[in-house]
Amino acid sequence: MSEAAHRPQTSTEDWSRLFEERVEALIKLLNAYLEPGQVERVRVACDFAADAHAGVQRRSGEPYVFHPVAVATLLARVQFDYETIMAAILHDVLEDTHHSKTDLAERFGTEIAELVDGVSKLTQINFSSKVEAQAENFRKMFLAMARDIRVIMVKLADRLHNMQTLDALPPPKRRRIARETLEIYAPIAGRLGMNYLRLELEKLGFRHRYPVRFQVLEAARGRLAGHRREIIGQLESRIRDRLLAEGIKARIVGREKHLWGIYKKMRDKHLPFQQVYDVYAV
């Protein structure tokens, strides 16, 4: 009997309860920085999306509407405006349901409809690049097509959540999507200053594009963990003492370099891990 056969089935009532929990978690984030009327509009958009995507499941088996709510939650954590949050919740409605742009404009206003339409148009770009030069052309096209920068923010958050749930897809498709992420989406996030998005996209892209290399490199870095705090602590202390001696006020922050950056340096300079010395940054 397959593993799926042993997996307990989630009832409609359970899915409904989980959906409400995720919506309430989103609303809690929004209440911290939005006006009550704006938060209520977001809640209405959640209900609309739930109805629009009713009966549709993701490959993982969960209702499809969980995805747009997750995308909106990623953006709410960095306090995007309510229009962007609503566009995130509705971002797949035009492509995947019977609702039109006119429907959205009548229900939520022209601005929201335009944002959703912009995300849908970006989704229709077929990335099939084989070389870096073509990837650059796609990045330029991607940026040029979005008249409102918020469209790209929604699309980047959409890609991040898809990467976070990529394990449900077969390996060849995971590798293709991971390659797109590393060549197209992560660089765009970097150019727009969305560093937290870039780092997460790079980490997940690396893990799914080169799973064995990722595991080997992660294990190699893990073997340094015993010295990590001590090394970074010593660097911070020395820099802080010297700056104080010079009368300079500063905040010193130390961190490990991220695996994708380490891997690219190894690949580009043909170095083994042992010869990559800038594993730490201060």
Side-chain angles (χ1 to χ4, degrees):
M1 187 177 294
S2 68
E3 180 183 348
H6 289 286
R7 192 180 303 138
Q9 294 295 311
T10 305
S11 68
T12 302
E13 291 76 14
D14 288 338
W15 283 131
S16 179
R17 176 178 52 79
L18 287 171
F19 175 69
E20 289 301 324
E21 289 176 359
R22 296 189 187 190
V23 170
E24 289 306 315
L26 170 61
I27 296 301
K28 184 177 180 180
L29 288 172
L30 299 178
N31 278 329
Y33 71 96
L34 292 179
E35 297 295 327
Q38 296 172 340
V39 175
E40 184 57 32
R41 290 197 69 193
V42 172
R43 190 186 291 275
V44 171
C46 288
D47 292 338
F48 179 85
D51 289 338
H53 295 294
V56 182
Q57 293 181 323
R58 303 193 82 207
R59 184 68 66 92
S60 62
E62 68 181 18
Y64 190 87
V65 72
F66 281 36
H67 166 66
V69 171
V71 173
T73 301
L74 288 171
L75 295 170
R77 286 173 183 158
V78 286
Q79 299 193 349
F80 270 88
D81 59 87
Y82 80 96
E83 293 97 342
T84 307
I85 302 299
M86 290 177 66
I89 292 167
L90 302 167
H91 78 269
D92 279 329
V93 166
L94 295 185
E95 187 176 12
D96 295 341
T97 78
H98 67 277
H99 292 287
S100 67
K101 183 179 176 181
T102 301
D103 293 337
L104 292 185
E106 290 175 351
R107 290 171 182 263
F108 301 107
T110 302
E111 184 175 6
I112 303 298
E114 289 291 344
L115 289 172
V116 175
D117 186 52
V119 176
S120 297
K121 287 176 179 175
L122 287 183
T123 302
Q124 292 164 11
I125 299 177
N126 180 26
F127 295 123
S128 58
S129 62
K130 300 297 181 183
V131 295
E132 197 70 28
Q134 288 176 301
E136 173 63 17
N137 288 333
F138 277 126
R139 289 193 289 268
K140 290 178 180 177
M141 183 195 312
F142 194 92
L143 290 168
M145 283 185 64
R147 289 177 291 179
D148 190 321
I149 194 68
R150 294 175 295 178
V151 168
I152 297 180
M153 296 299 106
V154 173
K155 191 59 190 170
L156 289 173
D158 171 52
R159 175 52 60 120
L160 177 55
H161 184 250
N162 282 331
M163 292 301 295
Q164 291 171 339
T165 56
L166 207 58
D167 287 315
L169 300 180
K173 192 167 185 178
R174 289 206 302 265
R175 289 192 292 271
R176 178 184 62 76
I177 294 173
R179 181 176 182 173
E180 284 180 5
T181 299
L182 292 170
E183 292 185 355
I184 310 293
Y185 291 93
I188 288 174
R191 288 184 186 183
L192 297 177
M194 305 298 293
N195 205 45
Y196 85 102
L197 276 175
R198 176 183 67 84
L199 294 175
E200 281 298 305
L201 290 170
E202 286 179 347
K203 181 184 74 174
L204 294 167
F206 184 24
R207 180 165 74 86
H208 288 289
R209 180 74 177 92
Y210 304 110
V212 175
R213 299 177 199 182
F214 179 86
Q215 291 173 7
V216 169
L217 193 55
E218 187 175 46
R221 190 179 66 172
R223 287 192 287 270
L224 297 176
H227 305 290
R228 179 175 56 210
R229 292 176 183 267
E230 181 181 353
I231 292 172
I232 293 180
Q234 289 176 356
L235 287 170
E236 290 178 0
S237 179
R238 291 178 184 178
I239 294 172
R240 184 181 296 108
D241 290 347
R242 183 57 188 270
L243 289 172
L244 287 173
E246 297 293 334
I248 299 172
K249 294 182 180 180
R251 182 170 66 94
I252 314 298
V253 178
R255 65 170 178 84
E256 282 185 297
K257 290 288 187 72
H258 295 274
L259 286 182
W260 178 241
I262 294 172
Y263 171 74
K264 285 199 298 180
K265 180 160 288 189
M266 292 170 59
R267 181 191 63 190
D268 296 343
K269 297 189 175 182
H270 306 288
L271 295 173
F273 178 76
Q274 292 76 10
Q275 292 182 24
V276 178
Y277 296 111
D278 59 339
V279 177
Y280 308 104
V282 175

